[in-house]
Amino acid sequence: MLKHAGAASATVTVDFGTDGLHLTVEDDGKAAHSPSGGGQGLIGMRERVTLFGGELTAGPRPEGGFSVRARLPVPVQVSR
C-alpha cells in the first residue's frame, strides 16, 4: 500500500454473495508515484480475475483514496 498510496489506512472487505465472492480494498491515501514500475499492477489483477470469469473495477474514491473491487464467481453447491 505504501508503494502506491503513501501513508494511509486501508479496509479490506470479503463477502460471499449469491453471485460469487466479492473482494473490496479501499484506502484513504493520496496517490504516490511508483518509482519501480516493475509489477503488473491493475492490468495484471484484471487479467487474473477475468481468467476465472470475474470482474474487477478500480479507481479513485470521491472522498479521496483509491478502491479496488473484484467479483469472482463461485459455484453454488446444493446439499442433498
Side-chain angles (χ1 to χ4, degrees), residues 18-75:
T18 57
D19 63 338
L21 180 66
H22 296 258
L23 306 165
T24 304
V25 179
E26 296 179 320
D27 72 39
D28 60 1
K30 304 275 189 252
H33 175 68
S34 174
S36 69
Q40 296 299 313
L42 293 173
I43 293 171
M45 284 192 276
R46 186 169 285 115
E47 288 173 351
R48 289 177 183 91
V49 168
T50 302
L51 179 68
F52 292 100
E55 302 157 352
L56 183 127
T57 58
R61 297 174 29 184
E63 62 274 21
F66 201 79
S67 174
V68 178
R69 297 173 185 263
R71 183 193 62 81
L72 297 166
V74 177

